[in-house]
């Protein structure tokens, strides 16, 4: 089993989900008392939040570059950047290290493609929804068209993430707002919706909506486990 590196803390609420999912998935695959071989470095999210808030993406990129180097130095065989938004700096971060990072949008694009969808809605931070780095990756790599909510709904989605979800504050009214926004995307022609922020699945799941949703945190973890266990022996009976 390869060592999976995690560059997390963005926020730690969703990084904890990464750790739990990876361990659970490895145990399900291998049985007995198996768990994932993990190595994690977490940033102080306040530093990243402050840089994003003023549009200082240079400072934000430096934070993830430093984190990537620490993950590599710790001995990870490959790694995950445990956030959708900071994939804005993915190419620069990847160039700073020699170990591969698995791109979250690529894993998501493959999952959407395998499900046969071509037009999907996208929820995430304002940066993920409004900038091109994520949508272009899905379009250019997988032929997937993305729809985003209107301006007022984008503000609601973003506010809930940064003011509530990253603090582990899960509110019923926010869940209802997200369900409504997902429904509006479906009415505009979205065949499915990407939960494109690693905290969103803490609030909304497939059980809450009728349109198919793609949980990027789970998809990212599934791709990591598949890579980590490639060539591993058959499961051990428990």
């Amino acid at each position: 089993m390869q060592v999976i590196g995690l560059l997390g803390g963005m926020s730690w609420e969703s990084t904890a989900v990464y750790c739990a999912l990876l361990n659970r998935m490895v145990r399900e695959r291998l049985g007995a008392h198996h768990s994932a071989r993990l190595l994690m470095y977490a940033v102080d999210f306040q530093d990243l939040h402050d840089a994003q808030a003023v549009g200082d993406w240079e400072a934000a990129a430096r934070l993830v570059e430093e984190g990537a180097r620490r993950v590599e130095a710790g001995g990870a065989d490959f790694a995950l950047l445990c956030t959708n938004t900071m994939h804005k700096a993915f190419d620069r971060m990847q160039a700073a290290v020699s170990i591969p990072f698995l791109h979250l949008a690529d894993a998501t694009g493959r999952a959407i493609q395998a499900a046969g969808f071509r037009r999907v809605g996208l929820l995430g931070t304002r940066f993920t929804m409004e900038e091109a780095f994520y949508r272009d990756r899905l379009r250019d790599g997988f032929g997937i068209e993305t729809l985003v909510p209107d301006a007022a709904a984008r503000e609601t989605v973003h506010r809930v993430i940064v003011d509530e979800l990253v603090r582990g504050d899960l509110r019923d009214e926010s869940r209802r707002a997200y369900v409504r926004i997902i429904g509006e995307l479906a009415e505009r022609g979205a065949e499915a919706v990407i939960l494109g922020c690693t905290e969103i699945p803490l609030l909304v799941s497939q059980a809450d909506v009728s349109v198919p949703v793609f949980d990027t945190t789970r998809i990212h973890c599934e791709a990591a486990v598949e890579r980590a266990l490639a060539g591993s022996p058959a499961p051990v009976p428990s």
Side-chain angles (χ1 to χ4, degrees), residues 161-178:
I161 292 168
V162 300
D163 292 346
E164 300 172 19
L165 301 187
V166 300
R167 300 170 180 267
D169 183 4
L170 308 180
R171 304 183 186 182
D172 288 339
E173 61 267 29
S174 296
R175 181 178 297 105
R176 288 192 293 270
Y178 270 48

Side-chain angles (χ1 to χ4, degrees), residues 64-236:
V64 295
E65 281 185 37
E66 177 194 1
R69 292 191 183 98
R70 288 176 180 269
V71 171
E72 179 177 45
D77 293 302
F78 68 94
L80 308 179
L81 176 59
C82 303
T83 167
N84 284 267
T85 299
M86 282 313 300
H87 276 69
K88 177 179 170 70
F90 182 88
D91 291 343
R92 175 170 166 174
M93 178 200 69
Q94 181 63 86
V97 294
S98 59
I99 62 170
F101 273 72
L102 304 189
H103 199 293
L104 194 156
D106 288 348
T108 301
R110 284 190 292 271
I112 294 169
Q113 199 173 60
F117 299 124
R118 297 294 298 275
R119 195 175 198 220
V120 301
L122 173 62
L123 300 185
T125 63
R126 179 187 302 116
F127 318 112
T128 301
M129 292 185 290
E130 295 181 355
E131 299 190 30
F133 68 94
Y134 205 93
R135 292 180 284 113
D136 284 358
R137 187 104 179 183
L138 292 173
R139 182 198 64 204
D140 297 343
F142 304 95
I144 296 168
E145 177 189 359
T146 54
L147 305 175
V148 297
D150 63 29
R154 291 198 301 272
E155 180 57 33
T156 296
V157 172
H158 180 82
R159 178 190 57 75
V160 168
I161 292 168
V162 300
D163 292 346
E164 300 172 19
L165 301 187
V166 300
R167 300 170 180 267
D169 183 4
L170 308 180
R171 304 183 186 182
D172 288 339
E173 61 267 29
S174 296
R175 181 178 297 105
R176 288 192 293 270
Y178 270 48
V179 168
R180 174 181 55 78
I181 292 166
I182 289 172
E184 290 170 353
L185 287 168
E187 289 174 0
R188 289 170 49 199
E191 301 167 303
V193 173
I194 300 170
L195 306 183
C197 177
T198 53
E199 285 83 21
I200 293 177
L202 297 170
L203 182 69
V204 177
S205 71
Q206 187 63 74
D208 297 307
V209 294
S210 57
V211 63
V213 295
F214 287 84
D215 176 345
T216 59
T217 305
R218 176 172 290 277
I219 290 167
H220 211 190
C221 289
E222 288 170 346
V225 169
E226 192 66 32
R227 182 178 183 120
L229 298 183
S232 292
V236 176

